[in-house]
């Protein structure tokens, strides 16, 4: 006792206390670190359980979708059987191609299920039209088709009109980057259309006109096309027919050129409104020439149309018994923005002549080529057409003059039989007299068009396109950089969880949920999921806000895909590790009266049962827990 109370005893007690304090501090910090590790493992387990729950929910949604498709299929079959029974009865209804139930995807010329050469079969029209499978007793077969028909882009377009963006009244509304309209020149057009020379009412304007259109207007259209299409000789007003828009022109030409069940050749992607235009009246179907984004050579471009592709598709269609009567060419192209060269157009026309096909050339964007380096050459500028009696050119003011609300389109064809046939349908698709007068006044004002309107319009289109293109570059998104039209064709394929049209539609809906309306590639019959069309011909503040919303969706989708990829990796590669971690957490017991040796044994056992230390090295531990590492190093350095 005396020795222990002497200097040596006090020194030994001080040494024991000095050792005990770091040990206690070490144990405390180790237990704290262990508890933090356990909490991390618990968080990982909770995340795994959430992932499993999300996977179960996805499976349930897919199962519900499958059941829904099964029900729709049964309804379609019931509708088909009902029509067959009706046709088998004496005096049964005439056989008319019957569209089926649409699967519910957004539309702008909705996707068609293809077979063989890409011919749209009657039994496949459910992918493009949404029709009520229950026939109304009050309507004919055709009436039921029309009544149940849902046109292009209706879902998104309807949502937009119900929640339209307004800077003051509805700043959280939907911004429309989906409808191809020029919203940059309202100031110019409203001023020009309200000038005194436009406000004339004379008796002939309030009476029935020639069904082709008033003669003064057709003469002005002929002069206008001669000048702006650079025709080698003056065009004749006798070859001009005026209708209420190019949609009516497509519909009328299909009725005049094709019989029920005939088909028209067209390259995809294309403006989807054409599908409904040619089908509703005439039951005419489309044969698709599928183009690919992959560039095959140094002089090729994405989605390039060639005569070889036309030949291959036409032959395959003939082998299936399809009667192809015409070819549709869109130049400048919607949605690609491509401008075909004169040599390309000549090759297409010669192909059509070899096979006695009519050619419908849509040049509605001919004055919307906004870069001087890009040259548009109209079919009407050619010295000699390969088959002038089967070449029909259409144009309208809705795009080039930024007035899509004024329904005015023109047909130019040297075939008087075609002109007269289309003119007979102008009884239903005519343009009222006062509007015809305004259009004539507008088209003849060449000084204003050249010196004011086109200069300003092209400058604004260039600036708007440059802004959206720069935003896309900043996002690292591929796109076709073209100089015509109001749109950019964008490659969002990397944002799809899978290369399917279902995923494309899911992304489309995600944009719409975030209050920006785009058009997905499915709406243009693009064969590759993930392409979208964005309209840039809008005011700066709407472009900026719309691109912010697009960026938000894409960045959010990218984060989600990264998290999902990491989770999948952990599930696939770390199943055993995850099990060990759960066992480690569940087997842990808080030390009560354990001595240091028992604690070390327990820690060693837990370390061996987990790969945590393999994934968390000493260097990482030192950076994350410098105080604990310092105490541990100090203790480990003493014998």
């Amino acid at each position: 006792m005396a020795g222990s109370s002497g200097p040596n005893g006090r020194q030994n007690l001080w040494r024991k206390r000095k050792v005990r304090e770091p040990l206690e501090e070490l144990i405390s910090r180790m237990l704290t670190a262990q508890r933090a590790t356990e909490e991390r493992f618990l968080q990982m387990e909770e995340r795994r359980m959430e992932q499993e729950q999300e996977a179960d929910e996805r499976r349930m949604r897919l199962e519900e979708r499958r059941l829904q498709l099964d029900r729709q299929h049964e309804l379609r079959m019931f509708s088909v059987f009902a029509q067959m029974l009706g046709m088998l009865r004496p005096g049964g209804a005439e056989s008319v191609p019957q569209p089926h139930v649409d699967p519910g995807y957004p539309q702008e010329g909705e996707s068609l299920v293809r077979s063989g050469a890409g011919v749209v079969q009657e039994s496949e029209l459910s992918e493009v039209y949404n029709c009520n499978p229950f026939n109304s007793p009050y309507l004919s077969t055709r009436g039921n088709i029309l009544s149940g028909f849902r046109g292009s882009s209706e879902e998104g377009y309807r949502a937009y009109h119900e929640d339209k963006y307004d800077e003051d009244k509805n700043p959280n509304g939907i911004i429309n980057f989906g409808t191809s309209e020029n919203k940059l020149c309202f100031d110019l057009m409203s001023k020009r259309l309200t000038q005194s020379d436009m406000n004339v009412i004379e008796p002939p304007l309030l009476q029935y006109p020639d069904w082709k259109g008033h003669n003064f207007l057709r003469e002005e259209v002929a002069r206008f096309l001669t000048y702006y299409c650079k025709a080698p000789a003056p065009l004749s007003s006798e070859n001009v027919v005026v209708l209420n828009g190019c949609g009516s022109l497509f519909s009328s030409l299909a009725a005049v050129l094709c019989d029920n069940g005939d088909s028209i050749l067209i390259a995809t992607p294309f403006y989807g409104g054409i599908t409904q235009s040619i089908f509703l009246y005439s039951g005419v179907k489309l044969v698709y020439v599928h183009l690919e984004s992959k560039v095959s050579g140094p002089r090729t471009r994405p989605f390039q149309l060639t005569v070889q592709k036309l030949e291959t598709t036409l032959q395959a269609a003939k082998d299936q018994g399809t009667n192809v009567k015409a070819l549709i060419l869109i130049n400048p192209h919607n949605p690609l923005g491509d401008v075909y060269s004169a040599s390309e157009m000549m090759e297409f026309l010669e192909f059509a002549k070899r096979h006695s096909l009519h050619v419908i050339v849509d040049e509605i964007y001919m004055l919307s080529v906004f870069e001087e380096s890009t040259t548009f050459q109209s079919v009407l500028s050619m010295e000699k057409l390969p088959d002038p009696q089967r070449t029909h050119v259409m144009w309208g003011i809705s795009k080039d003059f930024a007035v899509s609300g004024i329904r005015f389109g023109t047909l130019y064809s040297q075939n008087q039989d075609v002109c007269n046939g289309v003119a007979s349908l102008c009884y239903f698709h005519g343009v009222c007299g006062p509007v015809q007068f305004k259009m004539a006044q507008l088209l003849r004002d060449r000084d204003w068009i050249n010196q004011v309107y086109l200069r300003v319009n092209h400058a604004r289109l260039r600036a708007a396109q440059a802004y959206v293109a720069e935003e896309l570059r900043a996002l690292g998104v591929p796109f076709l950089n073209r100089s015509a039209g109001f749109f950019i064709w964008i490659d969002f394929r990397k944002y799809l969880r899978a290369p399917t049209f279902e995923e494309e539609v899911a992304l489309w809906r995600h944009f719409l949920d975030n209050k920006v309306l785009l058009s997905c590639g499915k709406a243009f019959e693009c064969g590759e999921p993930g392409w979208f069309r964005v309209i840039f011909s809008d005011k700066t503040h709407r472009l900026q806000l719309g691109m912010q919303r697009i960026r938000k969706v894409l960045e959010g989708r990218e984060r989600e895909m990264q998290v999902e990829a990491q989770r999948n990796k952990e599930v696939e590669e770390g199943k055993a590790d995850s099990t060990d971690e759960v066992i480690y957490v569940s087997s842990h017991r808080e030390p009560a009266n354990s001595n240091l040796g028992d604690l070390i044994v327990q820690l060693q056992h837990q370390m061996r049962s987990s790969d945590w230390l393999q994934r968390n090295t000493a260097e990482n531990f030192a950076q994350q827990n410098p105080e604990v590492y310092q105490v541990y190093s100090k203790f480990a350095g003493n014998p």
Side-chain angles (χ1 to χ4, degrees), residues 180-196:
S180 185
E181 294 180 297
N182 186 346
K183 300 177 182 178
L184 296 171
C185 295
F186 175 78
D187 56 337
L188 300 178
M189 292 305 300
S190 61
K191 182 178 179 180
R192 182 64 188 92
L193 292 175
T194 54
Q195 290 180 355
S196 59

Side-chain angles (χ1 to χ4, degrees), residues 37 40-41 44 573-582 584 605-617:
T37 304
R40 179 172 176 270
F41 287 152
M44 294 176 62
E573 300 180 359
K575 291 183 178 179
D577 296 338
S578 298
T579 304
D580 289 340
E581 290 165 359
V582 175
Y584 163 53
H605 172 72
Q606 292 175 345
M607 290 175 185
R608 284 195 297 268
S609 66
S610 173
D611 69 336
W612 184 81
L613 288 179
Q614 297 176 8
R615 292 181 284 110
N616 294 269
T617 63

Side-chain angles (χ1 to χ4, degrees), residues 438-560:
K438 286 178 179 288
M439 294 301 97
Q441 291 294 98
L442 177 67
L443 298 182
R444 71 164 52 100
D445 193 356
R446 207 152 307 156
D447 289 340
W448 178 83
I449 294 174
N450 293 335
Q451 303 302 321
V452 179
Y453 179 77
L454 289 181
R455 286 186 177 183
V456 174
N457 184 40
H458 290 171
R460 292 175 179 177
L461 287 173
R462 272 196 304 272
Q465 194 272 352
Y467 170 77
V468 175
E470 188 59 32
E471 288 292 304
L472 294 172
R473 291 189 187 99
L475 286 169
V477 175
F479 62 94
L480 300 190
N481 192 22
R482 301 294 186 257
S483 305
F486 312 148
F487 27 77
I488 297 180
W489 190 238
I490 305 175
D491 183 2
F492 284 153
R493 286 180 291 181
K494 68 178 181 180
Y495 297 100
L496 302 185
R497 292 184 175 90
T500 65
F501 286 109
E502 288 76 15
E503 273 296 306
E504 178 184 275
V505 170
L507 181 57
W508 176 87
R509 292 190 190 283
H510 199 181
F511 284 121
L512 190 61
D513 291 341
N514 283 268
K515 301 305 180 71
V516 58
L517 174 62
L518 310 183
S519 296
C520 59
K522 186 179 179 65
F524 303 92
E525 269 310 309
C526 183
E528 302 174 6
W531 289 86
F532 283 70
R533 188 189 72 175
V534 168
I535 302 300
F536 60 78
S537 50
D538 208 336
K539 294 293 186 179
T540 302
H541 68 280
R542 285 195 291 266
L543 284 181
Q544 292 174 342
L545 182 57
M547 291 307 300
Q548 289 174 11
R549 294 176 180 179
I550 290 176
R551 176 185 289 271
K552 177 183 175 182
V553 170
L554 297 180
E555 290 179 347
R557 173 60 71 96
E558 194 167 23
R559 286 192 299 269
E560 292 172 2

Side-chain angles (χ1 to χ4, degrees), residues 15-31 596-597 599-600 631-632 634-636 638:
R15 288 179 179 176
K16 291 179 180 180
R17 184 178 300 172
K18 184 178 180 181
V19 172
R20 189 183 304 115
E21 288 178 356
L23 283 175
E24 291 175 353
E25 184 179 0
L26 174 64
I27 293 171
S28 175
R29 292 186 181 276
M30 288 296 292
L31 292 176
L596 181 59
L599 177 61
I600 293 174
V631 172
Y632 181 84
K634 182 178 180 181
F635 174 74
N638 294 327

Side-chain angles (χ1 to χ4, degrees), residues 54 56-66:
E54 292 175 358
D56 291 339
E57 291 176 355
R58 284 197 298 270
R59 283 193 292 269
M60 290 179 64
R61 287 196 298 268
L62 289 174
E63 180 64 18
E64 290 175 359
R65 178 65 181 153
R66 186 187 66 79

